[in-house]
Amino acid sequence: MQRRGLARTIAVVSALGLTGVLGGCGAGKGSSDVTLRLVAADYGTGGADSSEKYWAALTERYETEHPGVKIDVSVHSWNDVDREVKKMVDAGDPPDMAQIGAYADYAAQGLLHKADDVLSIPVQADFVSQLANAGQVNGVQYGMPFAASTRVLFYNKTLFEKAGLTPPKTWDDLAANAAALKAEGVKYPYALPLGPEEAQAETMQWLLSGNGGYVDSLGSYGFDSAENTATVTWLKDELVGKGLTGPVAPGKLDRAEAFAAFADGDVGMLNGHPSLIETAGKKGVEFGTVPTPGIDGESRATLGVADWMMAFNKNGHDDEIGEFLDFVYSEKNVLDFSRNHNLLPVTTSASRTMDGAEQDKDLKPFLGELATSELYPVGNTSWAAVNVAVKQQIGKAVAPGGSPKGVLGGLQATATRAESSH
């Protein structure tokens, strides 16, 4: 791979906060009067914590150090951002960079820079390996992880103490605890959000805990495996069928509603990601977290989720894009973004710092899960279609009269068709 000489070295040193070593550094090679366009997602819950503030501060610092380069950032809600980028790409006018939920389709169309064509070697090597691997299509990294989270089991300490319970380690423990919570009048003993908002997350978490998952060790879809069928059947019979998942049918319960119910003190247990810490804390809920229970002990893996940065190649500017992204992925900036939004760092250096920082103690349970997490098969160009099918269908598998085997078989057929069409 061709490297960029002194200008690139200066950019790397600048990204690491060591500009004084080389003296004054200006813009890199070919970076005179260049405007880079970045489309990014908003991780905030309102104006006060909008991601616009993060990007405004970051780009102001960057432009001061690189007077020949302007960074034009537009921030959109998660409801809109993927669609906005697609609209730009379809119009033949892609941004230079996009920070969104999926990259594989654009990579498959040959629209993206390879990560090692834009990032310096130290920066690319700093990505958490689980996340870097998930950013690959056919063994080549195009997706650069930008934000990450994992899932753990949250439980309401007050409700548990009242019922004389200890946190569950196995499925049987979880079911027994849910039954005891139901007897105490808890509205949602275990909240099982399989509604269309984020059913793919809850589903994968459970499949992993039953020693299954969406794909096998070779990356092929295996929805209808014996392990997955057993897991969904257990959910239907032992939790949903026994009235332990609350008054709303799992297929109608969205993740946001389940989180809100937990923050209101109406949920005994649920799988949650780091944002629930702040949501529940603001409402004064006393909660604890434990690793996800598995079929016969702690789950062998937990769900990891990442969002992605990608660099489009149509406009060139690979030097300028690379220098800017090296700055974005500096330890300080990664930590600032992660702390602003209760997310996990995507780099090893920032993860190490967070692990040792008292201010980040609430995130440590999630950080500890990242190394053994499994991510959605985002490197498969078929994943977008499969993801939609999971959201639409999986709730039917646990409904009265539903067929776990039938629904999983249908999802497998959908996945096979989606694979063959790409």
Side-chain angles (χ1 to χ4, degrees):
M1 178 183 64
Q2 184 177 5
R3 304 310 298 169
R4 299 186 179 84
L6 179 60
R8 194 70 176 119
T9 304
I10 292 172
V12 174
V13 174
S14 174
L16 298 175
L18 301 174
T19 48
V21 175
L22 293 176
C25 68
K29 179 182 70 177
S31 58
S32 175
D33 299 320
V34 168
T35 296
L36 298 178
R37 291 181 299 153
L38 166 64
V39 178
D42 193 350
Y43 289 79
T45 57
D49 63 350
S50 170
S51 297
E52 288 183 355
K53 291 187 174 182
Y54 171 81
W55 287 113
L58 183 145
T59 55
E60 182 179 0
R61 284 186 285 118
Y62 187 78
E63 290 171 357
T64 299
E65 294 181 19
H66 299 77
V69 181
K70 177 175 173 54
I71 312 295
D72 179 8
V73 183
S74 57
V75 177
H76 300 270
S77 76
W78 272 111
N79 293 331
D80 302 324
V81 68
D82 291 272
R83 183 172 61 250
E84 288 295 320
V85 172
K86 185 177 186 302
K87 187 189 305 179
M88 296 170 74
V89 172
D90 290 347
D93 186 31
D96 296 284
M97 295 162 285
Q99 186 271 298
I100 52 178
Y103 65 88
D105 275 351
Y106 297 129
Q109 296 171 54
L111 300 178
L112 301 182
H113 285 294
K114 298 175 184 177
D116 61 6
D117 283 346
V118 289
L119 295 176
S120 67
I121 292 173
V123 170
Q124 188 177 8
D126 197 26
F127 286 132
V128 174
S129 61
Q130 299 283 106
L131 305 178
N133 291 340
Q136 296 180 358
V137 174
N138 297 325
V140 178
Q141 185 178 359
Y142 295 93
M144 294 164 271
F146 183 76
S149 67
T150 57
R151 300 295 198 272
V152 298
L153 185 79
F154 282 72
Y155 65 96
N156 184 309
K157 284 186 174 181
T158 303
L159 298 178
F160 264 58
E161 289 170 7
K162 183 179 178 184
L165 302 174
T166 56
K169 296 180 179 179
T170 67
W171 287 0
D172 286 346
D173 293 343
L174 187 148
N177 283 355
L181 291 165
K182 181 183 180 182
E184 292 285 338
V186 175
K187 188 174 181 179
Y188 293 91
Y190 177 84
L192 182 66
L194 297 180
E197 178 201 5
E198 204 181 40
Q200 80 282 3
E202 184 74 10
T203 301
M204 185 166 166
Q205 184 79 19
W206 274 99
L207 298 185
L208 290 172
S209 73
N211 299 323
Y214 288 152
V215 296
D216 61 22
S217 59
L218 299 177
S220 300
Y221 287 107
F223 278 96
D224 56 354
S225 69
E227 292 84 359
N228 289 347
T229 302
T231 296
V232 179
T233 300
W234 187 90
L235 282 173
K236 179 178 185 293
D237 294 345
E238 301 301 323
L239 289 186
V240 183
K242 294 184 177 178
L244 302 179
T245 54
V248 180
K252 303 288 187 184
L253 182 65
D254 281 337
R255 189 269 313 162
E257 295 170 24
F259 278 21
F262 186 85
D264 288 338
D266 291 332
V267 175
M269 300 171 282
L270 85 172
N271 287 321
H273 55 63
S275 73
L276 187 53
I277 294 172
E278 184 175 4
T279 304
K282 284 180 177 177
K283 291 288 192 78
V285 172
E286 292 289 328
F287 63 88
T289 62
V290 292
T292 302
I295 189 170
D296 52 10
E298 183 180 317
S299 178
R300 65 174 177 84
T302 190
L303 170 65
V305 177
D307 300 319
W308 303 95
M309 178 74 76
M310 62 212 70
F312 287 89
N313 55 28
K314 181 171 183 179
N315 302 321
H317 303 320
D318 51 333
D319 280 5
E320 292 85 2
I321 290 171
E323 290 176 14
F324 176 65
L325 290 178
D326 278 358
F327 182 77
V328 168
Y329 284 108
S330 68
E331 182 178 325
K332 176 190 183 310
N333 290 329
V334 172
L335 280 171
D336 283 351
F337 184 85
S338 301
R339 286 166 171 163
N340 283 352
H341 297 294
N342 279 317
L343 291 164
L344 302 182
V346 296
T347 62
T348 301
S349 58
S351 296
R352 191 162 47 237
T353 298
M354 181 174 279
D355 188 52
E358 176 64 21
Q359 74 181 90
D360 301 311
K361 63 181 186 301
D362 287 343
L363 288 171
K364 287 184 182 179
F366 302 91
L367 198 60
E369 298 284 333
L370 189 58
T372 58
S373 66
E374 291 193 19
L375 281 78
Y376 302 129
V378 289
N380 294 359
T381 54
S382 58
W383 170 241
V386 173
N387 183 23
V388 170
V390 173
K391 291 179 178 181
Q392 292 174 341
Q393 301 298 323
I394 196 64
K396 300 174 183 177
V398 299
S403 168
K405 186 174 182 178
V407 169
L408 291 172
L411 289 172
Q412 182 62 30
T414 297
T416 301
R417 286 194 301 272
E419 284 279 82
S420 63
S421 67
H422 283 82

PDB file of all heavy atoms in Angstrom, residues 53-82:
ATOM      1  N   LYS A  53     -23.148  19.152  18.674  1.00  0.00           N
ATOM      2  CA  LYS A  53     -22.201  19.879  19.529  1.00  0.00           C
ATOM      3  C   LYS A  53     -20.827  19.227  19.495  1.00  0.00           C
ATOM      4  O   LYS A  53     -19.792  19.909  19.449  1.00  0.00           O
ATOM      5  CB  LYS A  53     -22.729  19.929  20.966  1.00  0.00           C
ATOM      6  CG  LYS A  53     -23.954  20.796  21.138  1.00  0.00           C
ATOM      7  CD  LYS A  53     -24.315  20.940  22.608  1.00  0.00           C
ATOM      8  CE  LYS A  53     -25.467  21.925  22.789  1.00  0.00           C
ATOM      9  NZ  LYS A  53     -25.802  22.123  24.221  1.00  0.00           N
ATOM     10  N   TYR A  54     -20.805  17.896  19.520  1.00  0.00           N
ATOM     11  CA  TYR A  54     -19.533  17.173  19.466  1.00  0.00           C
ATOM     12  C   TYR A  54     -18.804  17.482  18.161  1.00  0.00           C
ATOM     13  O   TYR A  54     -17.621  17.842  18.162  1.00  0.00           O
ATOM     14  CB  TYR A  54     -19.783  15.676  19.594  1.00  0.00           C
ATOM     15  CG  TYR A  54     -18.553  14.840  19.321  1.00  0.00           C
ATOM     16  CD1 TYR A  54     -17.591  14.653  20.306  1.00  0.00           C
ATOM     17  CD2 TYR A  54     -18.355  14.256  18.067  1.00  0.00           C
ATOM     18  CE1 TYR A  54     -16.449  13.900  20.054  1.00  0.00           C
ATOM     19  CE2 TYR A  54     -17.221  13.499  17.811  1.00  0.00           C
ATOM     20  CZ  TYR A  54     -16.278  13.321  18.802  1.00  0.00           C
ATOM     21  OH  TYR A  54     -15.151  12.588  18.546  1.00  0.00           O
ATOM     22  N   TRP A  55     -19.512  17.361  17.037  1.00  0.00           N
ATOM     23  CA  TRP A  55     -18.869  17.570  15.746  1.00  0.00           C
ATOM     24  C   TRP A  55     -18.457  19.024  15.555  1.00  0.00           C
ATOM     25  O   TRP A  55     -17.410  19.304  14.950  1.00  0.00           O
ATOM     26  CB  TRP A  55     -19.789  17.122  14.616  1.00  0.00           C
ATOM     27  CG  TRP A  55     -19.901  15.631  14.509  1.00  0.00           C
ATOM     28  CD1 TRP A  55     -21.001  14.859  14.743  1.00  0.00           C
ATOM     29  CD2 TRP A  55     -18.856  14.725  14.132  1.00  0.00           C
ATOM     30  NE1 TRP A  55     -20.709  13.532  14.541  1.00  0.00           N
ATOM     31  CE2 TRP A  55     -19.406  13.416  14.160  1.00  0.00           C
ATOM     32  CE3 TRP A  55     -17.519  14.888  13.769  1.00  0.00           C
ATOM     33  CZ2 TRP A  55     -18.649  12.287  13.856  1.00  0.00           C
ATOM     34  CZ3 TRP A  55     -16.760  13.759  13.459  1.00  0.00           C
ATOM     35  CH2 TRP A  55     -17.325  12.480  13.507  1.00  0.00           C
ATOM     36  N   ALA A  56     -19.237  19.962  16.054  1.00  0.00           N
ATOM     37  CA  ALA A  56     -18.885  21.379  15.917  1.00  0.00           C
ATOM     38  C   ALA A  56     -17.581  21.688  16.633  1.00  0.00           C
ATOM     39  O   ALA A  56     -16.694  22.375  16.091  1.00  0.00           O
ATOM     40  CB  ALA A  56     -20.018  22.255  16.462  1.00  0.00           C
ATOM     41  N   ALA A  57     -17.442  21.168  17.851  1.00  0.00           N
ATOM     42  CA  ALA A  57     -16.215  21.418  18.617  1.00  0.00           C
ATOM     43  C   ALA A  57     -15.018  20.718  17.969  1.00  0.00           C
ATOM     44  O   ALA A  57     -13.923  21.284  17.868  1.00  0.00           O
ATOM     45  CB  ALA A  57     -16.398  20.951  20.057  1.00  0.00           C
ATOM     46  N   LEU A  58     -15.232  19.493  17.522  1.00  0.00           N
ATOM     47  CA  LEU A  58     -14.137  18.728  16.918  1.00  0.00           C
ATOM     48  C   LEU A  58     -13.663  19.380  15.619  1.00  0.00           C
ATOM     49  O   LEU A  58     -12.458  19.551  15.393  1.00  0.00           O
ATOM     50  CB  LEU A  58     -14.579  17.294  16.666  1.00  0.00           C
ATOM     51  CG  LEU A  58     -13.534  16.331  16.091  1.00  0.00           C
ATOM     52  CD1 LEU A  58     -13.729  14.924  16.648  1.00  0.00           C
ATOM     53  CD2 LEU A  58     -13.587  16.278  14.565  1.00  0.00           C
ATOM     54  N   THR A  59     -14.598  19.757  14.754  1.00  0.00           N
ATOM     55  CA  THR A  59     -14.196  20.328  13.469  1.00  0.00           C
ATOM     56  C   THR A  59     -13.559  21.702  13.637  1.00  0.00           C
ATOM     57  O   THR A  59     -12.659  22.073  12.873  1.00  0.00           O
ATOM     58  CB  THR A  59     -15.388  20.416  12.505  1.00  0.00           C
ATOM     59  OG1 THR A  59     -16.453  21.151  13.115  1.00  0.00           O
ATOM     60  CG2 THR A  59     -15.878  19.023  12.139  1.00  0.00           C
ATOM     61  N   GLU A  60     -13.997  22.460  14.636  1.00  0.00           N
ATOM     62  CA  GLU A  60     -13.373  23.765  14.888  1.00  0.00           C
ATOM     63  C   GLU A  60     -11.898  23.584  15.239  1.00  0.00           C
ATOM     64  O   GLU A  60     -11.030  24.303  14.741  1.00  0.00           O
ATOM     65  CB  GLU A  60     -14.102  24.504  16.007  1.00  0.00           C
ATOM     66  CG  GLU A  60     -13.526  25.883  16.283  1.00  0.00           C
ATOM     67  CD  GLU A  60     -14.259  26.634  17.379  1.00  0.00           C
ATOM     68  OE1 GLU A  60     -15.229  26.078  17.935  1.00  0.00           O
ATOM     69  OE2 GLU A  60     -13.855  27.770  17.680  1.00  0.00           O
ATOM     70  N   ARG A  61     -11.609  22.604  16.109  1.00  0.00           N
ATOM     71  CA  ARG A  61     -10.218  22.336  16.472  1.00  0.00           C
ATOM     72  C   ARG A  61      -9.422  21.857  15.260  1.00  0.00           C
ATOM     73  O   ARG A  61      -8.284  22.256  15.037  1.00  0.00           O
ATOM     74  CB  ARG A  61     -10.150  21.296  17.591  1.00  0.00           C
ATOM     75  CG  ARG A  61     -10.516  21.835  18.962  1.00  0.00           C
ATOM     76  CD  ARG A  61     -10.288  20.822  20.058  1.00  0.00           C
ATOM     77  NE  ARG A  61     -11.297  19.776  20.074  1.00  0.00           N
ATOM     78  CZ  ARG A  61     -11.065  18.489  19.877  1.00  0.00           C
ATOM     79  NH1 ARG A  61      -9.839  18.071  19.616  1.00  0.00           N
ATOM     80  NH2 ARG A  61     -12.046  17.613  19.926  1.00  0.00           N
ATOM     81  N   TYR A  62     -10.045  21.001  14.461  1.00  0.00           N
ATOM     82  CA  TYR A  62      -9.335  20.445  13.316  1.00  0.00           C
ATOM     83  C   TYR A  62      -9.028  21.518  12.278  1.00  0.00           C
ATOM     84  O   TYR A  62      -7.905  21.610  11.757  1.00  0.00           O
ATOM     85  CB  TYR A  62     -10.149  19.324  12.670  1.00  0.00           C
ATOM     86  CG  TYR A  62      -9.377  18.613  11.578  1.00  0.00           C
ATOM     87  CD1 TYR A  62      -8.408  17.667  11.890  1.00  0.00           C
ATOM     88  CD2 TYR A  62      -9.588  18.933  10.235  1.00  0.00           C
ATOM     89  CE1 TYR A  62      -7.670  17.035  10.900  1.00  0.00           C
ATOM     90  CE2 TYR A  62      -8.862  18.307   9.239  1.00  0.00           C
ATOM     91  CZ  TYR A  62      -7.908  17.362   9.576  1.00  0.00           C
ATOM     92  OH  TYR A  62      -7.171  16.747   8.599  1.00  0.00           O
ATOM     93  N   GLU A  63     -10.001  22.349  11.975  1.00  0.00           N
ATOM     94  CA  GLU A  63      -9.806  23.384  10.959  1.00  0.00           C
ATOM     95  C   GLU A  63      -8.770  24.416  11.389  1.00  0.00           C
ATOM     96  O   GLU A  63      -8.062  24.991  10.558  1.00  0.00           O
ATOM     97  CB  GLU A  63     -11.139  24.057  10.640  1.00  0.00           C
ATOM     98  CG  GLU A  63     -12.104  23.154   9.874  1.00  0.00           C
ATOM     99  CD  GLU A  63     -13.496  23.727   9.738  1.00  0.00           C
ATOM    100  OE1 GLU A  63     -13.753  24.828  10.296  1.00  0.00           O
ATOM    101  OE2 GLU A  63     -14.331  23.092   9.081  1.00  0.00           O
ATOM    102  N   THR A  64      -8.651  24.644  12.690  1.00  0.00           N
ATOM    103  CA  THR A  64      -7.619  25.557  13.192  1.00  0.00           C
ATOM    104  C   THR A  64      -6.222  25.016  12.880  1.00  0.00           C
ATOM    105  O   THR A  64      -5.308  25.770  12.523  1.00  0.00           O
ATOM    106  CB  THR A  64      -7.780  25.755  14.714  1.00  0.00           C
ATOM    107  OG1 THR A  64      -9.057  26.333  14.975  1.00  0.00           O
ATOM    108  CG2 THR A  64      -6.696  26.667  15.265  1.00  0.00           C
ATOM    109  N   GLU A  65      -6.059  23.702  13.010  1.00  0.00           N
ATOM    110  CA  GLU A  65      -4.768  23.070  12.744  1.00  0.00           C
ATOM    111  C   GLU A  65      -4.537  22.850  11.251  1.00  0.00           C
ATOM    112  O   GLU A  65      -3.401  22.662  10.816  1.00  0.00           O
ATOM    113  CB  GLU A  65      -4.674  21.731  13.466  1.00  0.00           C
ATOM    114  CG  GLU A  65      -4.666  21.816  14.973  1.00  0.00           C
ATOM    115  CD  GLU A  65      -4.542  20.444  15.623  1.00  0.00           C
ATOM    116  OE1 GLU A  65      -4.100  19.489  14.939  1.00  0.00           O
ATOM    117  OE2 GLU A  65      -4.882  20.322  16.818  1.00  0.00           O
ATOM    118  N   HIS A  66      -5.615  22.820  10.457  1.00  0.00           N
ATOM    119  CA  HIS A  66      -5.516  22.531   9.022  1.00  0.00           C
ATOM    120  C   HIS A  66      -6.253  23.631   8.252  1.00  0.00           C
ATOM    121  O   HIS A  66      -7.363  23.421   7.767  1.00  0.00           O
ATOM    122  CB  HIS A  66      -6.126  21.155   8.716  1.00  0.00           C
ATOM    123  CG  HIS A  66      -5.445  20.031   9.425  1.00  0.00           C
ATOM    124  ND1 HIS A  66      -5.646  19.766  10.764  1.00  0.00           N
ATOM    125  CD2 HIS A  66      -4.550  19.109   8.970  1.00  0.00           C
ATOM    126  CE1 HIS A  66      -4.910  18.725  11.105  1.00  0.00           C
ATOM    127  NE2 HIS A  66      -4.231  18.316  10.051  1.00  0.00           N
ATOM    128  N   PRO A  67      -5.633  24.810   8.122  1.00  0.00           N
ATOM    129  CA  PRO A  67      -6.338  25.967   7.548  1.00  0.00           C
ATOM    130  C   PRO A  67      -6.781  25.791   6.108  1.00  0.00           C
ATOM    131  O   PRO A  67      -7.655  26.506   5.643  1.00  0.00           O
ATOM    132  CB  PRO A  67      -5.311  27.100   7.684  1.00  0.00           C
ATOM    133  CG  PRO A  67      -3.989  26.420   7.858  1.00  0.00           C
ATOM    134  CD  PRO A  67      -4.270  25.143   8.571  1.00  0.00           C
ATOM    135  N   GLY A  68      -6.236  24.818   5.387  1.00  0.00           N
ATOM    136  CA  GLY A  68      -6.663  24.609   4.017  1.00  0.00           C
ATOM    137  C   GLY A  68      -7.834  23.669   3.857  1.00  0.00           C
ATOM    138  O   GLY A  68      -8.288  23.419   2.744  1.00  0.00           O
ATOM    139  N   VAL A  69      -8.331  23.137   4.965  1.00  0.00           N
ATOM    140  CA  VAL A  69      -9.390  22.130   4.903  1.00  0.00           C
ATOM    141  C   VAL A  69     -10.590  22.578   5.719  1.00  0.00           C
ATOM    142  O   VAL A  69     -10.451  22.990   6.876  1.00  0.00           O
ATOM    143  CB  VAL A  69      -8.888  20.764   5.431  1.00  0.00           C
ATOM    144  CG1 VAL A  69      -9.988  19.710   5.352  1.00  0.00           C
ATOM    145  CG2 VAL A  69      -7.673  20.308   4.633  1.00  0.00           C
ATOM    146  N   LYS A  70     -11.774  22.477   5.128  1.00  0.00           N
ATOM    147  CA  LYS A  70     -13.022  22.762   5.854  1.00  0.00           C
ATOM    148  C   LYS A  70     -13.819  21.464   5.941  1.00  0.00           C
ATOM    149  O   LYS A  70     -13.892  20.696   4.976  1.00  0.00           O
ATOM    150  CB  LYS A  70     -13.833  23.827   5.126  1.00  0.00           C
ATOM    151  CG  LYS A  70     -15.187  24.117   5.780  1.00  0.00           C
ATOM    152  CD  LYS A  70     -15.903  25.257   5.092  1.00  0.00           C
ATOM    153  CE  LYS A  70     -17.322  25.446   5.631  1.00  0.00           C
ATOM    154  NZ  LYS A  70     -17.343  25.605   7.101  1.00  0.00           N
ATOM    155  N   ILE A  71     -14.388  21.201   7.112  1.00  0.00           N
ATOM    156  CA  ILE A  71     -15.210  20.003   7.327  1.00  0.00           C
ATOM    157  C   ILE A  71     -16.657  20.446   7.450  1.00  0.00           C
ATOM    158  O   ILE A  71     -17.025  21.160   8.386  1.00  0.00           O
ATOM    159  CB  ILE A  71     -14.784  19.229   8.592  1.00  0.00           C
ATOM    160  CG1 ILE A  71     -13.264  19.029   8.628  1.00  0.00           C
ATOM    161  CG2 ILE A  71     -15.522  17.902   8.660  1.00  0.00           C
ATOM    162  CD1 ILE A  71     -12.718  18.162   7.513  1.00  0.00           C
ATOM    163  N   ASP A  72     -17.476  20.029   6.512  1.00  0.00           N
ATOM    164  CA  ASP A  72     -18.902  20.380   6.491  1.00  0.00           C
ATOM    165  C   ASP A  72     -19.691  19.171   6.999  1.00  0.00           C
ATOM    166  O   ASP A  72     -19.827  18.165   6.302  1.00  0.00           O
ATOM    167  CB  ASP A  72     -19.307  20.730   5.065  1.00  0.00           C
ATOM    168  CG  ASP A  72     -20.780  21.091   4.937  1.00  0.00           C
ATOM    169  OD1 ASP A  72     -21.452  21.219   5.982  1.00  0.00           O
ATOM    170  OD2 ASP A  72     -21.257  21.226   3.792  1.00  0.00           O
ATOM    171  N   VAL A  73     -20.192  19.259   8.234  1.00  0.00           N
ATOM    172  CA  VAL A  73     -20.883  18.136   8.868  1.00  0.00           C
ATOM    173  C   VAL A  73     -22.381  18.399   8.913  1.00  0.00           C
ATOM    174  O   VAL A  73     -22.815  19.466   9.368  1.00  0.00           O
ATOM    175  CB  VAL A  73     -20.377  17.897  10.307  1.00  0.00           C
ATOM    176  CG1 VAL A  73     -21.055  16.668  10.912  1.00  0.00           C
ATOM    177  CG2 VAL A  73     -18.863  17.725  10.331  1.00  0.00           C
ATOM    178  N   SER A  74     -23.172  17.450   8.444  1.00  0.00           N
ATOM    179  CA  SER A  74     -24.623  17.512   8.625  1.00  0.00           C
ATOM    180  C   SER A  74     -25.053  16.318   9.463  1.00  0.00           C
ATOM    181  O   SER A  74     -24.687  15.171   9.172  1.00  0.00           O
ATOM    182  CB  SER A  74     -25.344  17.508   7.276  1.00  0.00           C
ATOM    183  OG  SER A  74     -25.003  16.373   6.508  1.00  0.00           O
ATOM    184  N   VAL A  75     -25.775  16.589  10.541  1.00  0.00           N
ATOM    185  CA  VAL A  75     -26.189  15.571  11.496  1.00  0.00           C
ATOM    186  C   VAL A  75     -27.684  15.319  11.355  1.00  0.00           C
ATOM    187  O   VAL A  75     -28.482  16.264  11.322  1.00  0.00           O
ATOM    188  CB  VAL A  75     -25.858  16.004  12.942  1.00  0.00           C
ATOM    189  CG1 VAL A  75     -26.359  14.984  13.947  1.00  0.00           C
ATOM    190  CG2 VAL A  75     -24.345  16.201  13.092  1.00  0.00           C
ATOM    191  N   HIS A  76     -28.062  14.048  11.258  1.00  0.00           N
ATOM    192  CA  HIS A  76     -29.469  13.670  11.091  1.00  0.00           C
ATOM    193  C   HIS A  76     -29.854  12.633  12.142  1.00  0.00           C
ATOM    194  O   HIS A  76     -29.006  11.898  12.649  1.00  0.00           O
ATOM    195  CB  HIS A  76     -29.701  13.064   9.697  1.00  0.00           C
ATOM    196  CG  HIS A  76     -29.366  13.981   8.569  1.00  0.00           C
ATOM    197  ND1 HIS A  76     -30.284  14.837   8.004  1.00  0.00           N
ATOM    198  CD2 HIS A  76     -28.208  14.182   7.902  1.00  0.00           C
ATOM    199  CE1 HIS A  76     -29.705  15.528   7.032  1.00  0.00           C
ATOM    200  NE2 HIS A  76     -28.450  15.140   6.945  1.00  0.00           N
ATOM    201  N   SER A  77     -31.132  12.572  12.442  1.00  0.00           N
ATOM    202  CA  SER A  77     -31.618  11.564  13.382  1.00  0.00           C
ATOM    203  C   SER A  77     -31.423  10.168  12.791  1.00  0.00           C
ATOM    204  O   SER A  77     -31.293   9.996  11.569  1.00  0.00           O
ATOM    205  CB  SER A  77     -33.103  11.778  13.684  1.00  0.00           C
ATOM    206  OG  SER A  77     -33.892  11.327  12.595  1.00  0.00           O
ATOM    207  N   TRP A  78     -31.434   9.174  13.670  1.00  0.00           N
ATOM    208  CA  TRP A  78     -31.292   7.795  13.205  1.00  0.00           C
ATOM    209  C   TRP A  78     -32.456   7.382  12.304  1.00  0.00           C
ATOM    210  O   TRP A  78     -32.321   6.463  11.498  1.00  0.00           O
ATOM    211  CB  TRP A  78     -31.186   6.842  14.398  1.00  0.00           C
ATOM    212  CG  TRP A  78     -29.766   6.685  14.859  1.00  0.00           C
ATOM    213  CD1 TRP A  78     -29.227   7.145  16.023  1.00  0.00           C
ATOM    214  CD2 TRP A  78     -28.700   6.045  14.150  1.00  0.00           C
ATOM    215  NE1 TRP A  78     -27.891   6.828  16.075  1.00  0.00           N
ATOM    216  CE2 TRP A  78     -27.540   6.148  14.945  1.00  0.00           C
ATOM    217  CE3 TRP A  78     -28.602   5.401  12.920  1.00  0.00           C
ATOM    218  CZ2 TRP A  78     -26.310   5.621  14.545  1.00  0.00           C
ATOM    219  CZ3 TRP A  78     -27.386   4.874  12.528  1.00  0.00           C
ATOM    220  CH2 TRP A  78     -26.256   4.985  13.333  1.00  0.00           C
ATOM    221  N   ASN A  79     -33.583   8.053  12.444  1.00  0.00           N
ATOM    222  CA  ASN A  79     -34.716   7.744  11.562  1.00  0.00           C
ATOM    223  C   ASN A  79     -34.451   8.151  10.124  1.00  0.00           C
ATOM    224  O   ASN A  79     -35.081   7.631   9.193  1.00  0.00           O
ATOM    225  CB  ASN A  79     -35.989   8.447  12.053  1.00  0.00           C
ATOM    226  CG  ASN A  79     -36.477   7.900  13.375  1.00  0.00           C
ATOM    227  OD1 ASN A  79     -36.264   6.740  13.685  1.00  0.00           O
ATOM    228  ND2 ASN A  79     -37.119   8.749  14.166  1.00  0.00           N
ATOM    229  N   ASP A  80     -33.536   9.107   9.935  1.00  0.00           N
ATOM    230  CA  ASP A  80     -33.346   9.709   8.618  1.00  0.00           C
ATOM    231  C   ASP A  80     -31.970   9.504   8.006  1.00  0.00           C
ATOM    232  O   ASP A  80     -31.819   9.616   6.789  1.00  0.00           O
ATOM    233  CB  ASP A  80     -33.602  11.228   8.705  1.00  0.00           C
ATOM    234  CG  ASP A  80     -34.991  11.556   9.207  1.00  0.00           C
ATOM    235  OD1 ASP A  80     -35.930  10.812   8.866  1.00  0.00           O
ATOM    236  OD2 ASP A  80     -35.135  12.549   9.957  1.00  0.00           O
ATOM    237  N   VAL A  81     -30.950   9.259   8.823  1.00  0.00           N
ATOM    238  CA  VAL A  81     -29.577   9.411   8.327  1.00  0.00           C
ATOM    239  C   VAL A  81     -29.216   8.410   7.232  1.00  0.00           C
ATOM    240  O   VAL A  81     -28.599   8.783   6.224  1.00  0.00           O
ATOM    241  CB  VAL A  81     -28.565   9.356   9.500  1.00  0.00           C
ATOM    242  CG1 VAL A  81     -28.502   7.962  10.137  1.00  0.00           C
ATOM    243  CG2 VAL A  81     -27.183   9.808   9.034  1.00  0.00           C
ATOM    244  N   ASP A  82     -29.605   7.148   7.387  1.00  0.00           N
ATOM    245  CA  ASP A  82     -29.282   6.168   6.348  1.00  0.00           C
ATOM    246  C   ASP A  82     -29.966   6.520   5.030  1.00  0.00           C
ATOM    247  O   ASP A  82     -29.376   6.388   3.953  1.00  0.00           O
ATOM    248  CB  ASP A  82     -29.679   4.761   6.805  1.00  0.00           C
ATOM    249  CG  ASP A  82     -28.803   4.247   7.937  1.00  0.00           C
ATOM    250  OD1 ASP A  82     -27.762   3.644   7.637  1.00  0.00           O
ATOM    251  OD2 ASP A  82     -29.146   4.454   9.115  1.00  0.00           O
TER     252      ASP A  82
END
